[in-house]
Amino acid sequence: MTDFAKTRAMFDIPEGMVYLNGNSLGPMPKASEPAIVSFLNDEWKTELVKGWNTRNWFMQTNTLGDQVGRLIGAEPGTTVVGDTLSIKVFQAVAAGLALVPDRKVILSDNGNFPTDLYMVEGLMKLKADGYTLQTPEPEAVLDCINESVAVVMVTEVDYRTSRKHDMKAIIEKAHSCGAVVVWDLAHSAGAIPVDVDGLDADFAVGCTYKYLNGGPGSPAFIYVAKRLHEVVEPALSGWYGHAAPFAFDVAYRPADSIERMRIGTPSIAAFKLLSVALDIWNRVDLNDLRSRSIELSELFIREVEKRCPGLKLASPRDPQQRGSHVAFRFEHGYACMQALIAAGVIGDFRAPDTMRFGITPLFIDAEDILRASETLEDIIEKKTWKQDHFRQRLQVT
Ligand SMILES: *Cc1c(COP(=O)(O)O)cnc(C)c1O
């Protein structure tokens, strides 16, 4: 059994704060500070350029990738970390389209995170030969998969409502129609068990700063099924993905492994922070995590519905259909969330009226859930959210 009291003790969360936003930015592990100081003093300062060999900086894309891979059901050697999720989405969709060159349809849904859709728009402009992006309602995606679709690009867990797509059904239908699937696991990795190899997934991408706690802007990841390693064409053909980067050949030749999805020199300081965050996950059984997340989410929903009848659950009521955050709609959601934050309960807000609460068992327990519900009740009851300063929109919501 995973000892969640122990994992909780491994994070540095300010005294008195209830942090329900690990679905947006994970908190800082206590090990982060000594790790970054040691990186500065014992690696960069002393090793300088030798560090690429002596500290194995060059291959951390792969060693950290394998650690992330364990959390999404990917066998070693199929996942690398680096770049940003937006870039990894571009890379995966471009590679997917090249596998099905006679088709011109990319299928996503109108609940997908906008950057995923924007990156596809940009990619289609570059290709300039009749591609279309379809964005039906999320519930209609399965029915829209047919023989005209080249790539299905979907995010497993909806960033607003927490509604889950059925990965198995989508992959099976796509494959039976000759399409490939790109999964965005931004709200799945470290939130729910995923089994990309078991489901015969093609591509998966995600970020490490949400549930995985790698720090603001920590590197993204990309998974490519082993059967595709020698056939995928890297559209972003950087030297770090070359078969022999130090041959400094003038012509690009992709590595014959997942390394071909590497692009350019990564931030090793960011890797160090990610590394200590991923070490915490070695103690975690994902099935334990899932049960606990459901238990805490159910408690939160029950308490909020009992105390604040004006709030409407925006997430599926069936826990099996949800990821690991819970969303409530409230007309004055923005101001209400600002009042909550001022009272030490941190969630966030997504336009037009959704308040999101990340339920992250690594560092949240039932006491936190009760305190958050009580604080929310107090704010609604006293209408604290009406204060002017809670209504002024900040740049990041
Ligand atoms: C968080 C998130 C992103 C963010 O992309 P970045 O390039 O890291 O800014 C993209 N897609 C989804 C589905 C997300 O949840």
Side-chain angles (χ1 to χ4, degrees):
M1 278 299 281
T2 308
D3 185 345
F4 289 111
K6 214 166 224 163
T7 58
R8 182 185 171 93
M10 299 176 87
F11 288 93
D12 231 342
I13 298 174
E15 192 65 35
M17 180 187 284
V18 176
Y19 193 69
L20 301 182
N21 214 350
N23 55 313
S24 181
L25 175 67
M28 191 177 95
K30 286 180 181 160
S32 303
E33 186 180 333
I36 201 75
V37 170
S38 152
F39 167 72
L40 295 175
N41 290 326
D42 308 330
E43 299 197 27
W44 184 19
K45 186 165 79 182
T46 45
E47 294 296 296
L48 286 123
V49 75
K50 293 181 293 174
W52 289 104
N53 289 311
T54 60
R55 303 304 165 127
N56 198 29
W57 293 343
F58 200 71
M59 292 304 286
Q60 283 174 13
T61 45
N62 301 49
T63 50
L64 296 170
D66 284 347
Q67 269 187 282
V68 173
R70 186 185 76 80
L71 302 173
I72 59 166
E75 65 173 310
T78 55
T79 309
V80 282
V81 296
D83 316 298
T84 69
L85 177 49
S86 300
I87 288 173
K88 277 356 213 177
V89 166
F90 183 95
Q91 213 181 10
V93 175
L97 290 176
L99 289 172
V100 198
D102 53 330
R103 300 187 189 181
K104 307 282 182 203
V105 175
I106 301 149
L107 173 64
S108 187
D109 66 64
N110 63 16
N112 205 345
F113 191 90
T115 201
D116 297 44
L117 304 173
Y118 301 161
M119 294 309 285
V120 168
E121 273 186 45
L123 173 60
M124 290 194 306
K125 261 189 206 153
L126 278 177
K127 293 185 79 84
D129 49 1
Y131 280 87
T132 56
L133 169 62
Q134 293 179 357
T135 53
E137 294 293 320
E139 292 74 14
V141 166
L142 195 60
D143 283 342
C144 292
I145 301 174
N146 57 40
E147 267 84 22
S148 71
V149 174
V151 172
V152 182
M153 175 192 71
V154 268
T155 297
E156 187 190 13
V157 177
D158 185 296
Y159 75 105
R160 279 180 295 206
T161 64
S162 199
R163 172 203 43 75
K164 269 176 70 202
H165 269 305
D166 184 343
M167 278 186 81
K168 185 168 187 289
I170 288 178
I171 291 172
E172 280 174 3
K173 175 128 188 233
H175 286 180
S176 77
C177 293
V180 299
V181 189
V182 172
W183 285 101
D184 189 327
L185 301 178
H187 291 272
S188 307
I192 56 177
V194 184
D195 186 12
V196 287
D197 280 334
L199 294 174
D200 197 25
D202 306 298
F203 298 91
V205 295
C207 56
T208 62
Y209 51 79
K210 291 173 179 160
Y211 290 90
L212 300 183
N213 316 307
S218 63
F221 66 84
I222 184 165
Y223 157 89
V224 180
K226 196 151 222 163
R227 64 187 149 77
L228 298 174
H229 284 190
E230 292 191 18
V231 289
V232 288
E233 282 175 35
L236 299 171
S237 39
W239 80 292
Y240 222 81
H242 196 279
F246 287 90
F248 294 108
D249 205 337
V250 288
Y252 180 73
R253 192 159 46 86
D256 60 5
S257 66
I258 188 65
E259 279 155 48
R260 67 174 58 186
M261 300 319 255
R262 307 196 302 185
I263 303 171
T265 310
S267 164
I268 305 299
F271 278 180
K272 191 54 73 178
L273 295 174
L274 176 58
S275 173
V276 296
L278 289 175
D279 285 344
I280 298 176
W281 287 95
N282 292 338
R283 305 167 164 270
V284 179
D285 177 292
L286 291 176
N287 293 316
D288 293 347
L289 180 89
R290 179 64 169 157
S291 326
R292 189 123 170 95
S293 153
I294 290 177
E295 193 184 302
L296 295 173
S297 304
E298 293 287 281
L299 175 66
F300 186 60
I301 293 171
R302 210 160 49 235
E303 290 294 323
V304 172
E305 290 190 327
K306 185 175 76 189
R307 295 163 189 269
C308 317
L311 268 57
K312 261 189 75 81
L313 182 65
S315 301
R317 193 160 291 279
D318 174 2
Q320 301 305 331
Q321 304 298 319
R322 289 195 304 264
S324 200
H325 73 273
V326 170
F328 280 97
R329 292 214 162 88
F330 179 48
E331 190 189 347
H332 306 288
Y334 181 78
C336 182
M337 182 52 75
Q338 290 306 310
L340 262 177
I341 293 170
V345 177
I346 317 291
D348 66 10
F349 173 81
R350 288 295 174 261
D353 60 358
T354 302
M355 295 191 283
R356 299 191 306 178
F357 302 91
I359 311 294
T360 46
L362 253 54
F363 51 86
I364 288 296
D365 61 19
E367 217 173 288
D368 294 321
I369 296 291
L370 291 176
R371 215 195 104 201
S373 324
E374 282 161 18
T375 311
L376 186 55
E377 179 183 24
D378 186 69
I379 287 167
I380 303 274
E381 207 173 271
K382 299 193 178 127
K383 297 197 168 30
T384 320
W385 54 264
K386 283 197 165 175
Q387 296 172 27
D388 273 350
H389 61 284
F390 290 142
R391 299 187 196 216
Q392 281 155 19
R393 295 279 168 131
L394 299 171
Q395 187 174 31
V396 176
T397 65

